[in-house]
Amino acid sequence: MMEGQGSTWRRANAAFAIAAMIFLLLPSLIVIPMSFSDSELIIFPPKGYSFHLYQRYVEEPGWVSASILSLRVAIWTTILSICLGVPAAYALVRGNFPGRRMLAMFLLSPIMLPSVVLALAIYIYFVRISLSHGELRLVLAHCVATLPFVVVTAAAGIQTVDANIERAATIMGASRLYVFRTVTLPLVIPSIVAGALFTFLISFDEIIISIFVAKAGDTTLPIKMFSSLVFEVSPVLAAISTMLTLMSALICILVTFAQKGDAKP
Amino acid sequence: MRPETREQYRIAVFALPATLFMLVMMAIPLGSVVWQSISDDTGLSLAAYAKIVQSNLFIRVTRTTLEIALGATLVAFFLGYPIAYFLAKQSTKRQTIWLIVILIPFWTSSLVKSFAFVVMLGHAGILNTFLGELGLGPYKMLFNRIGVMVGMSHFLVPFMVFPILTNLRSQPPELAKAAAIMGAGKFRIFRTVTFPLSLPGVVSGALLVFILALGFFIVPKLLGGRQDVMLSSLVDFYAREVFDFQMSSAIAVILMATALLAAFLLSKVRGGASILSKESS
């Protein structure tokens, strides 16, 4: 009797859990067949298949330029976040200075703040200091949101590096910076790559902060998608959604591998 | 200066660029939002807050925000707990594969997901077409509370899964085994051992989900109706449509204070939980 009850419980749980996971995956999956539809109407399943919507993505004005702007902003955001975040993670992991915990909380606080609060604050700030360079506005604002993720992923990597290796190098007379560059950094490359990929993705998909800080002409891809969803749901969105989903999936899989490599030593 | 202290300063310097950046780009802007909310042309003034408290719009929107955030937290719990429980029972290799299934939607743009839900839940959408063939519906599932709930809980479930999964993994398997040897059935073990022990994970997941839910902006805007305006939208409305920075700042401060309070509770829960678990670093 006991066995029977146990396996029913387990089976019911498995069925429910798998159903819930299908619910999670469904939106990402459903856009793929729709993107190959040959119709102007959004119907599922599509009646016929073609690359028509991808062609429209390329030919319709605005989509490609919006994608290029998002790409540029995401690349600069990634570079800046890594340059700032990785050394900060090093200080937080290796240091034991007073105020270290406070500093960690401060650097990670954007994770806990509603995006709209950050967006409003930075928007008003940019108006006040009259920063008018559109791309720079986006990069600086995105970086506030992405920096915590770099700090967290880099810190996780640095924690796996044996501090004694660094100590040995320091005793030999090498400076902190030299040890960081030549000993620590090469060992944590997988975590940095993971952090960089996630930063790129967060920035590329960022919408709330962008809506606030972007100047009128600077339409990133998410901003253009957002206005298309508000005003007329264009079927081109299916093609774009498929490309974005594939990008997310690719990055997830790459990061899973990067972190596997990290766990080896 | 002792060499040990000097060494600590040398390490702290590594955090200097990031700290300066965050001071200039986050702390000062947030500080001036707080300042803006409590001052006007003449000096200190709580006029904005007084106006807010008396505003029917604000009170209605706050109630809606709390309702939606609590509802989404509950739905995320009911979907997230079984997933975490199921994953905790899998081998490490299988767990990695299942985790990718959760991580892909987690990392998919919220606009992509909103688009997919518009297509799925709309009047002539996939779900209604399917239900129509069964002779049901059509039901209105978009541009109302249902749409917001579906979209938000979909976004929030992973945030519930991760802390609960971490907790379930850290539970010593001997406990359940001991209970089984004593003759307890699987469900009884879950009810009296596993679930009570996992409560710190549940609370920390629920707080995290609630904090995130409070600040939602895109999903209610795209999947909700006129009745589903949340506080974030109100911040946006006052800032970019009315250009009343004082009002929008005051609402943002209220939103921020609520989130920080929840974050503080979260750190209390986590602090307590990390003492129990093995890796209390």
Side-chain angles (χ1 to χ4, degrees):
Chain A
M1 287 306 105
M2 217 177 72
E3 268 305 299
Q5 184 210 0
S7 68
T8 314
W9 163 248
R10 192 162 278 187
R11 241 177 258 152
N13 171 252
F16 192 84
I18 290 171
M21 285 192 276
I22 290 173
F23 165 64
L24 290 185
L25 207 50
L26 208 55
S28 311
L29 290 181
I30 226 151
V31 294
I32 298 172
M34 279 180 10
S35 73
F36 296 105
S37 165
D38 62 354
S39 162
E40 284 303 305
L41 299 167
I42 300 175
I43 39 168
F44 187 90
K47 297 238 159 53
Y49 292 92
S50 75
F51 284 99
H52 163 73
L53 293 174
Y54 290 89
Q55 200 181 343
R56 269 183 66 182
Y57 161 75
V58 178
E59 283 167 3
E60 252 173 46
W63 290 114
V64 172
S65 60
S67 311
I68 290 171
L69 177 65
S70 285
L71 191 66
R72 291 175 59 108
V73 169
I75 290 172
W76 282 115
T77 303
T78 307
I79 293 172
L80 184 60
S81 308
I82 293 292
C83 291
L84 295 172
V86 175
Y90 180 76
L92 292 177
V93 173
R94 288 285 181 258
N96 195 22
F97 46 88
R100 189 178 64 97
R101 283 182 63 93
M102 283 286 285
L103 185 63
M105 268 169 61
F106 173 64
L107 292 180
L108 299 184
S109 58
I111 295 182
M112 284 298 155
L113 284 172
S115 300
V116 78
V117 175
L118 278 179
L120 175 78
I122 298 172
Y123 164 65
I124 297 178
Y125 184 62
F126 281 160
V127 172
R128 190 163 301 157
I129 65 172
S130 45
L131 179 71
S132 59
H133 191 289
E135 225 169 291
L136 186 62
R137 283 166 77 128
L138 287 165
V139 170
L140 291 174
H142 282 193
C143 208
V144 174
T146 56
L147 192 60
F149 290 91
V150 175
V151 172
V152 169
T153 41
I158 293 166
Q159 261 160 359
T160 63
V161 177
D162 189 352
N164 289 320
I165 304 176
E166 291 169 17
R167 211 162 289 143
T170 322
I171 290 167
M172 305 295 220
S175 75
R176 267 281 163 194
L177 188 61
Y178 185 78
V179 174
F180 174 70
R181 240 182 39 224
T182 56
V183 179
T184 320
L185 218 47
L187 286 172
V188 293
I189 288 291
S191 319
I192 295 177
V193 170
L197 287 169
F198 280 146
T199 301
F200 179 86
L201 201 55
I202 295 170
S203 169
F204 198 87
D205 288 340
E206 166 55 49
I207 173 72
I208 303 179
I209 293 176
S210 300
I211 286 185
F212 273 79
V213 305
K215 297 204 311 177
D218 291 326
T219 313
T220 64
L221 187 61
I223 293 180
K224 187 147 170 68
M225 289 171 74
F226 181 73
S227 48
S228 170
L229 275 166
V230 170
F231 297 114
E232 35 94 42
V233 181
S234 161
V236 180
L237 285 170
I240 295 164
S241 297
T242 301
M243 292 187 277
L244 288 178
T245 302
L246 291 181
M247 187 169 85
S248 303
L250 187 68
I251 287 180
C252 276
I253 292 163
L254 280 176
V255 168
T256 310
F257 277 109
Q259 279 168 345
K260 277 258 168 65
D262 203 21
K264 254 178 222 155
Chain B
M1 209 189 291
R2 283 170 48 223
E4 181 61 19
T5 321
R6 205 183 308 148
E7 183 60 20
Q8 283 304 325
Y9 276 113
R10 276 196 199 129
I11 297 177
V13 167
F14 280 81
L16 200 59
T19 311
L20 286 177
F21 177 82
M22 286 306 230
L23 277 175
V24 173
M25 286 303 304
M26 185 187 73
I28 295 178
L30 284 179
S32 58
V33 160
V34 175
W35 173 247
Q36 189 132 32
S37 78
I38 54 166
S39 64
D40 57 18
D41 306 332
T42 56
L44 277 181
S45 147
L46 291 175
Y49 291 97
K51 210 162 121 194
I52 283 175
V53 180
Q54 285 161 7
S55 144
N56 284 328
L57 176 67
F58 174 78
I59 290 166
R60 206 187 68 218
V61 171
T62 305
R63 195 188 297 136
T64 312
T65 305
L66 291 176
E67 271 172 25
I68 293 179
L70 281 174
T73 308
L74 272 177
V75 176
F77 166 73
F78 282 115
L79 294 177
Y81 199 101
I83 295 179
Y85 185 70
F86 172 75
L87 289 181
K89 298 238 178 285
Q90 306 298 313
S91 65
T92 321
K93 204 175 166 190
R94 281 203 178 172
Q95 233 174 52
T96 314
I97 296 168
W98 283 115
L99 274 176
I100 290 180
V101 172
I102 297 177
L103 283 171
I104 289 174
F106 179 72
W107 284 105
T108 300
S109 154
S110 55
L111 293 168
V112 171
K113 291 188 277 193
S114 298
F115 168 68
F117 280 126
V118 166
V119 175
M120 283 160 73
L121 303 176
H123 189 77
I126 299 168
L127 199 56
N128 268 326
T129 313
F130 177 72
L131 289 173
E133 273 167 29
L134 299 177
L136 296 165
Y139 297 103
K140 186 167 166 54
M141 292 175 284
L142 200 60
F143 309 128
N144 61 12
R145 196 55 68 81
I146 299 175
V148 180
M149 280 308 194
V150 171
M152 281 181 64
S153 45
H154 182 271
F155 186 99
L156 293 166
V157 165
F159 292 96
M160 193 63 101
V161 170
F162 296 133
I164 297 176
L165 181 60
T166 311
N167 173 290
L168 290 176
R169 268 181 184 163
S170 72
Q171 286 188 15
E174 294 82 17
L175 278 177
K177 256 181 221 150
I181 290 168
M182 307 292 225
K186 288 266 157 41
F187 178 67
R188 179 123 182 256
I189 296 173
F190 171 76
R191 195 168 51 87
T192 56
V193 180
T194 314
F195 184 71
L197 280 175
S198 69
L199 279 177
V202 171
V203 174
S204 98
L207 277 169
L208 181 63
V209 166
F210 185 71
I211 297 172
L212 292 169
L214 281 178
F216 261 62
F217 178 74
I218 298 299
V219 173
K221 210 149 195 155
L222 292 178
L223 304 181
R226 279 174 203 285
Q227 295 302 309
D228 307 302
V229 176
M230 292 181 71
L231 281 173
S232 305
S233 306
L234 211 54
V235 173
D236 178 45
F237 170 74
Y238 279 115
R240 297 190 316 127
E241 277 169 52
V242 188
F243 294 103
D244 185 341
F245 288 161
Q246 200 193 8
M247 279 296 269
S248 60
S249 295
I251 299 168
V253 168
I254 292 171
L255 204 53
M256 179 163 70
T258 319
L260 288 179
L261 180 69
F264 173 74
L265 291 176
L266 184 63
S267 72
K268 287 278 160 218
V269 176
R270 287 228 174 120
S274 69
I275 295 167
L276 290 172
S277 71
K278 282 168 213 158
E279 58 275 305
S280 56
S281 52

